[in-house]
Amino acid sequence: DGGITQSPKYLFRKEGQNVTLSCEQNLNHDAMYWYRQDPGQGLRLIYYSQIVNDFQKGDIAEGYSVSREKKESFPLTVTSAQKNPTAFYLCASRPLGGNEQFFGPGTRLTVL
Amino acid sequence: KQEVTQIPAALSVPEGENLVLNCSFTDSAIYNLQWFRQDPGKGLTSLLLIQSSQREQTSGRLNASLDKSSGRSTLYIAASQPGDSATYLCAVKGYSGAGSYQLTFGKGTKLSVIP
């Protein structure tokens, strides 16, 4: 059963703590993306990776970090430097040469 | 910088009605335009993708049009059903430099279809 999985679905953390969100895909897609969605807002790009061991900053990368050690995995770390981390985080992937991005179910992060 | 606007922000219609959702974008140099559906607390599901060289795409009761020169797209939903209730997002794909392309999203239109 192919797809994109994000875990956990809900995540709670105390202010000042780093937290890592998981994104795994078994679609053999080359490119992977992380977006942030706030209520009533469009998605904003945080980071993206087009190949293993390479990634680029998106529009709102400050306070976030990523790694791409494996093709199927693209974890996102929300650091304590992110001023307003409470949001809905969406991961997506795209095959090489493909036009469409395919999205995971999302993780809702709440920082208390 | 590309900006994508969706009007209206929310729409409520009775079941069975035909409806149109609007999307406009400021930079016509796009690669393609995509319409997504998002249910509450869920990820995005792609509905239709229109390449920049195309004028429209159809899937079942959905029809999306693209007028690149005027920076507009519409999503037409025929014979609406309560199951169509969701937020509909428009996104345009454009060149972001260094050989990369990026999606720019609108804020969405929240559709409610009343039985």
Side-chain angles (χ1 to χ4, degrees), chain B residues 58-73:
Chain B
T58 298
S59 176
R61 295 182 294 109
L62 305 179
N63 176 277
S65 69
L66 173 64
D67 184 343
K68 198 174 74 161
S69 61
S70 67
R72 296 175 190 270
S73 175

Side-chain angles (χ1 to χ4, degrees), chain B residues 33-54:
Chain B
L33 183 145
Q34 201 165 355
W35 284 93
F36 294 90
R37 170 187 172 133
Q38 185 177 31
D39 293 290
K42 305 289 187 183
L44 276 63
T45 300
S46 179
L47 298 173
L48 289 165
L49 182 146
I50 310 176
Q51 300 290 0
S52 62
S53 58
Q54 297 176 322

Side-chain angles (χ1 to χ4, degrees), chain B residues 3-8 19-28 30 32-36 48-52 54-57 63-76 88-93 109:
Chain B
E3 292 183 4
V4 180
T5 302
Q6 291 187 248
I7 294 174
L19 60 101
V20 174
L21 307 180
N22 296 292
C23 172
S24 62
F25 46 95
T26 54
D27 185 351
S28 63
I30 65 169
N32 61 43
L33 183 145
Q34 201 165 355
W35 284 93
F36 294 90
L48 289 165
L49 182 146
I50 310 176
Q51 300 290 0
S52 62
Q54 297 176 322
R55 297 284 293 183
E56 65 177 333
Q57 282 287 339
N63 176 277
S65 69
L66 173 64
D67 184 343
K68 198 174 74 161
S69 61
S70 67
R72 296 175 190 270
S73 175
T74 61
L75 179 66
Y76 174 83
Y88 291 80
L89 296 166
C90 168
V92 296
K93 183 176 181 179
T109 294

Side-chain angles (χ1 to χ4, degrees), chain A residues 16-74:
Chain A
Q17 289 182 333
N18 291 355
V19 61
T20 297
L21 282 61
S22 168
C23 178
E24 304 277 334
Q25 53 96 3
N26 60 5
L27 302 168
N28 199 34
H29 287 177
D30 291 275
M32 297 186 75
Y33 305 81
W34 274 107
Y35 294 90
R36 169 183 172 137
Q37 186 178 34
D38 294 282
Q41 301 295 318
L43 277 67
R44 291 182 291 169
L45 182 64
I46 305 172
Y47 266 99
Y48 64 100
S49 168
Q50 301 199 79
I51 56 173
V52 174
N53 293 322
D54 186 52
F55 48 82
Q56 288 79 39
K57 294 181 179 180
D59 297 325
I60 55 166
E62 186 175 350
Y64 299 97
S65 66
V66 293
S67 63
R68 187 85 187 278
E69 297 178 0
K70 299 185 296 182
K71 187 176 184 178
E72 58 269 25
S73 178
F74 191 39

